[in-house]
Amino acid sequence: MERQWRGKFPVNRRKPAVELGSGVRKSYREVIDVSWGDPHRAGVKPLSFVRQVLAACLYSELMDGDKLMVDVKQRAQRLLGTCAGGSVGSYCATAGIPQTLQSVSQYIMRRDGGVPCHPENIYISPGSQWALTNILKVLVNSEASPRTGVLIPVPCHSTTIISLTTLGAVAVPYYLREERGWALEMEELQRALDSAKGVCNPVALYMINPGNPAGYVQSRKSIQEVIRFAAEKKLFLLADEVFQDCVYGKESEFVSYKRALAEIGAPLSDSVELASFHTASKGLMGECGLRTGYVELVNLDPAVMKHINNLFSTNSCPILGQIALDVMVNPPQPGDPSYPLYLKVRHFYLPASLAQNVRRVEEVINSFPDFSCQPLEGGAFAFPRLFLPPKAIERAKEAGLQPDTFYCLRLLEEAGVLFSPGTEYGQKEGTYHIRFCIMTPSDTMEEILRRLSAFHEQFMKEFS
């Protein structure tokens, strides 16, 4: 297939921070790194209930005093009771702690309006990407001729592309329509499938909803069209839904692929093979360092499920990550002592801060004639298009860099803001983008936009 991804950002991305630490004077005091989807790195504070439960599980003597709420102690005691030996240092079952699997199953049923969910179809993993890679191992035959193909969106986060190519698969790109808010069109899926003829054998269709890096949210109608397409073409569906809690478009609603499949009904609801992924690392939970997620498998053959069980047994998720996942899917409820603070932070402060960031990003980015940011509906990133002058493009080529990489490196050096270039995620030839995380405190986002605005104005003057 035509190569759409150009490699990783150069290692000198760390240079300005190292220089600052060595006493080199710059126009900024610190580097603001929003190149990751890591809210805590960007300054967002962790949810106190999560950290209190984790602390109590790690050091049970904390439960002897009165510093922790009663419901925190009760939750910690319950979770420790599910661990072998009552310790977070113990091993657990391959699929995960049975009680946590049950909590995840109940969460999925609530989310999907009562659609049945069975714990035996869920595997807790060290992050959603680890789970995705292992499901791809089942789908990809590295010795096949032609090679195995997987349809993936453009843009698409780079870790999935790396996983595919490492396994020997072919990434078959389908392009989202940027000018229509990164819409997915069935004609484009068909074009992508046709383009694979004679090159590879497509076996799966990978979807990201809400989008990463593009901040779209699929409609129920779009999801059901995709499901019917997958059924007709006999494609395994891979649904990356890790930002399902981050939806802020006024007309947007998260609908899971599993729910949409169930709503279509038989025979598709009983036959379309689906793996859906979620994690405690992304979204408003933001516990990236705990590396925990889950995959739910739908309509898979029992023999395949047995093979998947063997794959997942090679690296079970650490107990602390499973505890965080349990808290994510089973948060404090009305009447619990911790509920008022949790409600204030999780459902008011964090969403309000994120919504404010979205408004400001769209407002500032679109105020420049050489930037275009589509409406941000969900996810954790902005992915605006950058219209670079010919002189800047030529200078980038002279430096051996992609043009948007050149822009990001200059932004980092001169303004102390670290973004990622669109070339890392795939983009149409001749277009350039930048990606940055919008899950930051509001004052941090204002500083980012201030630095970006000043830099961009000078950059465009230099190359006009």
Side-chain angles (χ1 to χ4, degrees):
M1 305 302 295
E2 181 181 357
R3 189 180 178 201
Q4 305 296 333
W5 298 274
R6 308 290 186 178
K8 300 296 288 182
F9 205 10
V11 293
N12 57 349
R13 63 195 295 171
R14 300 181 182 90
K15 180 182 175 184
V18 172
E19 291 177 340
L20 284 170
S22 300
V24 176
R25 298 188 65 181
K26 293 183 179 291
S27 61
Y28 48 89
R29 294 183 178 180
E30 63 177 354
V31 172
I32 304 176
D33 184 354
V34 281
S35 64
W36 301 63
D38 184 345
H40 297 174
R41 174 188 290 261
V44 174
K45 301 300 181 184
L47 295 172
S48 57
F49 183 78
V50 178
R51 291 304 178 90
Q52 289 170 359
V53 172
L54 288 171
C57 287
L58 277 166
Y59 188 61
S60 58
E61 282 80 355
L62 289 175
M63 291 186 279
D64 295 336
D66 57 2
K67 291 184 178 181
L68 298 176
M69 294 281 194
V70 173
D71 56 333
V72 172
K73 297 178 183 180
Q74 292 173 340
R75 179 67 64 89
Q77 288 168 346
R78 180 179 70 79
L79 290 169
L80 285 174
T82 68
C83 301
S87 171
V88 296
S90 60
Y91 286 124
C92 71
T94 294
I97 300 172
Q99 290 83 351
T100 300
L101 288 167
Q102 186 66 40
S103 294
V104 172
S105 174
Q106 292 170 352
Y107 161 80
I108 293 172
M109 286 184 64
R110 293 193 303 270
R111 181 198 68 188
D112 292 342
V115 176
C117 177
H118 306 290
E120 60 267 26
N121 294 332
I122 300 169
Y123 284 85
I124 298 174
S125 64
S128 60
Q129 193 62 40
W130 188 92
L132 173 61
T133 299
N134 275 278
I135 299 302
L136 287 172
K137 287 179 181 178
V138 177
L139 297 171
V140 174
N141 183 350
S142 59
E143 299 178 357
S145 180
R147 290 192 292 163
T148 303
V150 177
L151 275 67
I152 68 170
V154 176
C156 175
H157 56 83
S158 55
T159 48
T160 297
I161 303 163
I162 294 170
S163 295
L164 280 172
T165 54
T166 300
L167 292 171
V170 176
V172 182
Y174 61 89
Y175 291 89
L176 305 175
R177 281 284 297 275
E178 181 172 6
E179 63 273 21
R180 291 191 55 217
W182 300 105
L184 171 60
E185 298 177 339
M186 293 301 103
E187 296 82 3
E188 174 59 15
L189 278 182
Q190 185 62 57
R191 182 210 61 77
L193 193 62
D194 292 342
S195 74
K197 292 178 180 177
V199 178
C200 63
N201 175 34
V203 300
L205 172 56
Y206 176 61
M207 313 297 300
I208 310 174
N209 182 48
N212 175 13
Y216 58 85
V217 177
Q218 273 188 282
S219 67
R220 178 182 265 100
K221 178 176 180 291
S222 173
I223 293 170
Q224 292 186 341
E225 287 175 344
V226 169
I227 291 171
R228 291 189 173 94
F229 179 87
E232 179 186 350
K233 308 301 180 183
K234 295 180 171 54
L235 297 172
F236 189 108
L237 269 175
L238 301 162
D240 185 332
E241 299 175 330
V242 301
F243 288 110
Q244 60 187 259
D245 295 327
C246 295
V247 176
Y248 31 80
K250 292 182 180 179
E251 305 299 323
S252 302
E253 174 192 12
F254 172 76
V255 178
S256 74
Y257 266 78
K258 182 186 178 186
R259 180 170 189 165
L261 176 61
E263 291 174 350
I264 290 175
L268 267 61
S269 60
D270 299 324
S271 59
V272 173
E273 294 176 306
L274 167 67
S276 59
F277 306 88
H278 193 20
T279 178
S281 299
K282 303 300 182 184
L284 298 179
M285 185 83 162
E287 294 288 356
C288 299
L290 292 179
R291 310 299 301 169
T292 183
Y294 70 80
V295 57
E296 183 189 12
L297 303 167
V298 179
N299 293 329
L300 270 65
D301 184 275
V304 176
M305 291 291 288
K306 183 177 180 180
H307 181 60
I308 289 173
N309 186 76
N310 292 335
L311 276 176
F312 275 70
S313 67
T314 62
N315 193 1
S316 59
C317 179
I319 298 292
L320 280 182
Q322 296 191 56
I323 288 173
L325 184 65
D326 192 288
V327 174
M328 182 189 81
V329 300
N330 189 19
Q333 298 299 310
D336 293 343
S338 297
Y339 181 73
L341 178 60
Y342 178 84
L343 179 70
K344 179 181 178 181
V345 175
R346 172 62 177 80
H347 292 280
F348 293 101
Y349 171 72
L350 288 177
S353 178
L354 185 55
Q356 180 179 335
N357 287 353
V358 167
R359 288 193 299 270
R360 289 292 292 142
V361 166
E362 292 178 344
E363 178 183 293
V364 173
I365 294 289
N366 287 326
S367 69
F368 291 101
D370 26 47
F371 262 126
S372 175
C373 185
Q374 295 297 314
L376 301 173
E377 299 177 341
F381 303 98
F383 193 67
R385 182 174 177 181
L386 175 61
F387 297 87
L388 290 169
K391 290 183 180 179
I393 295 172
E394 185 60 32
R395 183 70 64 82
K397 291 180 179 178
E398 292 172 358
L401 298 170
Q402 289 297 313
D404 45 13
T405 301
F406 175 70
Y407 181 92
C408 287
L409 284 173
R410 287 283 299 269
L411 173 65
L412 173 59
E413 175 61 36
E414 298 171 27
V417 176
L418 181 53
F419 289 175
S420 296
T423 189
E424 288 194 2
Y425 308 98
Q427 53 196 352
K428 285 188 176 181
E429 287 293 332
T431 68
Y432 310 107
H433 298 79
I434 56 174
R435 186 193 86 153
F436 59 97
C437 180
I438 58 175
M439 295 188 69
T440 71
S442 295
D443 57 347
T444 301
M445 183 54 63
E446 287 299 327
E447 177 63 13
I448 290 169
L449 294 174
R450 185 193 67 79
R451 294 192 197 183
L452 173 64
S453 298
F455 164 81
H456 185 73
E457 186 175 352
Q458 291 299 317
F459 183 91
M460 300 307 286
K461 282 181 180 179
E462 178 182 348
F463 293 105
S464 62

